[in-house]
């Protein structure tokens, strides 16, 4: 347990430090954030054709109201926390890679739902938007990370049990 905790903390420090570097911001974070805005606009366009995305902005074309997806709102930090936990936990590299990929997808799907809900809350009620943005969705994204990690750990335990039975 101590080894896991120390490895987890070291990975968190290293990954967050790496994320804050200019090259990573330019090559990964900003393009990813713009892609999230585009994906969110595409999902919304399935039922509302008046939404546009440009850069990290998601905006209603008619009213001009919109949201800007800023650092901390693009799901990268949540994915870093999950990555540190998955990489620190003792398991096979195959299971770790699967956990990273599926966990990333799960977090980003929830994050797209977050962005879309905040887009509509911003137009509806600013007080509720602020509460949902600053408190509710922060908690829900971290709960998502925890649930994904716990489901992954359960799969690791099942895989280890199957391996022991086969041996």
């Amino acid at each position: 347990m101590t080894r896991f905790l120390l490895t987890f903390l070291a990975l968190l420090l290293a990954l967050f430090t790496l994320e804050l570097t200019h090259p990573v911001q330019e090559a990964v974070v900003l393009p990813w954030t713009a892609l999230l805005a585009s994906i969110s606009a595409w999902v919304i366009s399935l039922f509302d054709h008046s939404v546009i995305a440009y850069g990290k902005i998601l905006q209603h074309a008619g009213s001009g109201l919109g949201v800007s997806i800023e650092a901390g709102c693009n799901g990268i930090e949540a994915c870093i926390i999950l990555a540190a936990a998955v990489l620190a936990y003792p398991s096979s590299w195959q299971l770790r890679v699967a956990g990273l990929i599926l966990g990333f997808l799960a977090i980003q799907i929830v994050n797209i739902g977050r962005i879309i809900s905040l887009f509509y809350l911003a137009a509806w009620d600013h007080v509720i938007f602020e509460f949902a943005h600053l408190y509710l969705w922060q908690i829900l994204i971290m709960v998502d990370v925890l649930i994904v990690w716990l489901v992954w750990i359960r799969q690791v335990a099942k895989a280890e049990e199957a391996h022991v039975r086969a041996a």
Side-chain angles (χ1 to χ4, degrees), residues 14-71:
L15 292 171
F16 275 118
T17 300
L18 182 64
E19 181 214 6
L20 293 174
T21 64
H22 183 72
V24 172
Q25 287 288 315
E26 291 296 317
V28 178
V29 175
L30 295 177
W32 176 253
T33 305
L35 180 61
L36 270 180
S38 295
I39 292 170
S40 298
W42 177 81
V43 170
I44 293 171
S45 74
L46 296 174
F47 54 89
D48 183 353
H49 297 289
S50 58
V51 175
I52 57 173
Y54 55 94
K56 61 183 182 174
I57 306 293
L58 186 62
Q59 188 173 37
H60 189 274
S63 69
L65 292 173
V67 293
S68 175
I69 304 168
E70 299 295 332

Side-chain angles (χ1 to χ4, degrees), residues 129-140:
F129 165 82
E130 286 296 325
F131 174 79
H133 177 246
L134 297 174
Y135 304 107
L136 180 62
W137 272 113
Q138 297 293 337
I139 293 167
L140 292 175

Side-chain angles (χ1 to χ4, degrees), residues 152-163:
W152 177 78
I153 286 177
R154 184 179 173 126
Q155 295 308 311
V156 168
K158 285 181 182 180
E160 288 175 358
E161 185 178 313
H163 180 71

